[in-house]
Amino acid sequence: MSDDYATTFDLIDADKDGRISAVELVRLMEVLGQPVTLDAAQEGVQKLDKDGDGLIDREEFAAFLQK
Ligand SMILES: [Ca+2]
Ligand SMILES: [Ca+2]
C-alpha cells in the first residue's frame, strides 16, 4: 500500500485499531458533509469486506481504492 492510502486510512480509522468500522464510516461522511445512516454505512462496509469480519482492514481498503 502506498503512503497515500495509509494516510487516508489512518484519518478514517478514528480509534486506530487498524480497521474501519461502519461507525467510523458514518463519522467520515459527516465530516465530508454527506451524512449517511448507520445502515447505509454497514452496507458500504459489507461491499468492501472480503473476509467477512464486518470491518475494513488496510488490504481491503487498498483493493477498493485501486479499482
Ligand atoms: Ca477503527
Ligand atoms: Ca474485513
Side-chain angles (χ1 to χ4, degrees):
M1 181 187 282
S2 77
D3 287 348
D4 281 354
Y5 294 160
T7 303
T8 306
F9 189 96
D10 286 345
L11 282 175
I12 304 170
D13 183 19
D15 62 4
K16 307 294 178 203
D17 67 351
R19 290 171 174 78
I20 295 170
S21 65
V23 172
E24 285 168 343
L25 213 51
V26 168
R27 286 197 194 124
L28 169 72
M29 296 312 286
E30 275 175 9
V31 168
L32 294 178
Q34 298 181 311
V36 296
T37 63
L38 186 57
D39 280 352
Q42 278 168 343
E43 259 181 48
V45 167
Q46 275 170 12
K47 277 181 196 159
L48 272 59
D49 185 19
K50 299 261 166 45
D51 59 6
D53 64 356
L55 298 162
I56 302 166
D57 62 28
R58 286 168 188 275
E59 273 182 31
E60 289 162 351
F61 186 68
F64 168 67
L65 290 183
Q66 279 162 3
K67 271 176 198 169

